[in-house]
Amino acid sequence: MSWNGLLKRRSGVAEILGAFALYGVYEVVRGFGGHDIGAAMLNTDKIVGLEEHLGFFWEKTIQDVSLSLPGADATLGIAYMALHFLGTALFLVWAHRRRPDAFPLLRTAIVFATALALIGYLAFPAAPPRLAELGFRDAVSDGAGVNLSSDLLGALYNPVAAVPSLHFGYAVIVGAGLALFATRRWVRWVGIAYPFVMLYVIVATGNHFFVDAVAGGLVVATAWWLARLVTERRARLAPSYA
């Protein structure tokens, strides 16, 4: 695909098909990252050691307090699935329809973030808290009825592809997009709050450490910078295509 093709806003149907294709490629490549549990556990130990050294290894406490509330496991488990998939999809539909000028930047940032995350998964396999044998519960499996460790889902994704967290990374793109491009003030405030809500959800469900989220934020910052670079370059060159 040429840069011009990637940065061009297409019809809604074409964008949906492109999103499905991107996610399919992402899952296939992510799955080929290997399932070296030994290396993943060692890397997780490094993450925990870093957080303990810096004084913010709070994930277990946050989960324990959160899941002590009635119905919290189901609520958080459903939120973990719905916000990432449905929330991101609805945001892209909104941007495509309401902010067509900003849509190429937002979509391209997601593409770059996905590509950079795949590099991270291949280079640094890490077990999520729920698989790290640290006493975390799997709130998504327990509460939402979706067994993330099942043979079926295990064949579709790599369970040790946790760093960076694209749940948090995509949430940053959605939040930034709403905060920067929405016209209503309350929607902009939703955008500001959204990444923090996602951070809480991924920690409380036992799916990510804070370090995973930090890595996701760095990936998105890089992806956003690259997306701006190529979209602005296309805008400068646009008159030469006429």
Side-chain angles (χ1 to χ4, degrees):
M1 179 185 295
S2 67
W3 284 122
N4 193 48
L6 175 64
L7 302 176
K8 182 180 179 181
R9 176 180 176 273
R10 301 180 181 82
S11 69
V13 173
E15 292 291 351
I16 291 172
L17 293 176
F20 275 113
L22 172 65
Y23 193 77
V25 171
Y26 162 75
E27 287 294 353
V28 169
V29 176
R30 187 186 186 204
F32 281 135
H35 296 246
D36 190 340
I37 298 298
M41 295 294 282
L42 288 175
N43 286 334
T44 297
D45 288 342
K46 295 176 183 178
I47 291 172
V48 172
L50 175 62
E51 291 193 357
E52 288 179 334
H53 176 71
L54 296 176
F56 62 89
F57 180 55
W58 306 323
E59 290 87 346
K60 185 66 168 57
T61 300
I62 291 172
Q63 184 181 74
D64 289 344
V65 172
S66 299
L67 297 187
S68 68
L69 302 174
D73 54 350
T75 301
L76 289 168
I78 293 171
Y80 179 81
M81 303 295 292
L83 291 178
H84 183 56
F85 295 106
L86 184 59
T88 304
L90 290 176
F91 166 72
L92 289 174
V93 170
W94 170 83
H96 187 270
R97 297 184 62 182
R98 298 294 183 88
R99 293 305 307 262
D101 55 324
F103 180 80
L105 168 66
L106 297 168
R107 190 244 285 112
T108 304
I110 287 178
V111 172
F112 278 134
T114 303
L116 292 171
L118 286 173
I119 297 173
Y121 300 148
L122 296 173
F124 192 82
R130 61 185 174 81
L131 297 179
E133 300 179 358
L134 295 171
F136 285 87
R137 286 177 55 188
D138 183 351
V140 175
S141 297
D142 295 344
V146 179
N147 186 0
L148 297 177
S149 300
S150 67
D151 292 338
L152 174 60
L153 290 181
L156 297 176
Y157 88 114
N158 185 348
V160 296
V163 182
S165 168
L166 273 191
H167 268 72
F168 182 72
Y170 283 3
V172 171
I173 294 175
V174 172
L178 292 176
L180 291 172
F181 302 116
T183 55
R184 297 182 180 180
R185 179 175 296 179
W186 70 268
V187 177
R188 294 198 297 270
W189 278 110
V190 168
I192 293 171
Y194 186 71
F196 295 98
V197 172
M198 181 63 82
L199 178 62
Y200 169 68
V201 169
I202 64 176
V203 169
T205 55
N207 279 283
H208 286 287
F209 295 100
F210 286 118
V211 165
D212 306 352
V214 171
L218 292 174
V219 161
V220 164
T222 303
W224 190 282
W225 174 75
L226 290 172
R228 285 187 62 90
L229 193 67
V230 295
T231 53
E232 289 176 358
R233 179 177 183 275
R234 181 178 184 270
R236 289 196 302 269
L237 296 177
S240 65
Y241 299 143

